[in-house]
Amino acid sequence: MHDIAFTLNGRPWSLRVEPRRTLVDAIRDDCGATGTHIGCEHGVCGACTILLDGEPVRSCLMFAVQADGRALRTVEGLEKDGALHPLQRAFIDHHALQCGFCTPGFLMLAVGVLERTPNISDEALTDVLSSNLCRCTGYQNIVRAVRAAAEEMAP
Ligand code: FES
Ligand code: FES
């Protein structure tokens, strides 16, 4: 067993985990943050995307021990003082979700990208978003929502 410590949405956590425990299992089962979803469990769908020190990562492909000393952000950390994040509002306004299973992953992917590259081109944005899978929406509204949020978030 390994003792690890990290912050999740600003809150410090200390866990004792087996070396084989995946990060997504630790986030969901040990920290109770079930907003991060598990789809394929082998790095294909992106449903488990979180931010690790600001970088979007697939938490099903990481071991919990690799999060030691790092700052994690998940969908639960997006709203502030009861107000939804601009991306969350844009997803609602542009009907960018149906069943919602993929949505936390898309939101964290988009947050990570827009925080680093607020003026991302349409082509690059489409390329980034194509790394996550959605079985419902057809993607057009997801792209529209992220583009709308990008304009709102632009400095
Ligand atoms: S559950 Fe992690 S990429 Fe699909
Ligand atoms: S909204 Fe259903 S999988 Fe994306």
Side-chain angles (χ1 to χ4, degrees):
M1 299 294 275
H2 290 268
D3 292 317
I4 60 171
F6 54 77
T7 61
L8 178 62
N9 300 320
R11 177 183 164 184
W13 283 87
S14 297
L15 303 178
R16 175 161 291 185
V17 294
E18 288 186 56
R20 65 179 177 173
R21 188 156 185 73
T22 63
L23 181 55
V24 70
D25 282 341
I27 289 170
R28 289 175 52 88
D29 298 338
D30 298 331
C31 304
T34 54
T36 300
H37 291 165
I38 302 175
C40 64
E41 281 190 276
H42 59 270
V44 174
C45 72
C48 64
T49 304
I50 65 158
L51 297 183
L52 181 83
D53 292 337
E55 287 285 328
V57 297
R58 301 195 166 200
S59 56
C60 72
L61 289 185
M62 290 191 65
F63 293 114
V65 291
Q66 293 175 285
D68 189 30
R70 317 288 288 271
L72 313 183
R73 289 164 65 197
T74 62
V75 69
E76 288 90 346
L78 288 184
E79 64 91 15
K80 290 279 178 276
D81 302 324
L84 293 179
H85 188 281
L87 270 160
Q88 291 174 303
R89 277 190 277 108
F91 267 58
I92 295 169
D93 293 345
H94 294 270
H95 308 288
L97 65 147
Q98 289 184 31
C99 78
F101 193 85
C102 68
T103 309
F106 269 105
L107 287 171
M108 299 318 292
L109 175 66
V111 168
V113 169
L114 294 185
E115 286 182 354
R116 277 176 302 150
T117 320
N119 298 318
I120 189 168
S121 69
D122 286 342
E123 191 181 12
L125 181 62
T126 304
D127 190 48
V128 166
L129 294 176
S130 70
S131 71
N132 280 26
L133 300 181
C134 173
R135 296 188 65 180
C136 306
T137 65
Y139 300 101
Q140 299 290 339
N141 288 353
I142 294 176
V143 175
R144 271 189 210 111
V146 177
R147 178 49 68 203
E151 283 166 24
E152 188 178 337
M153 290 167 66

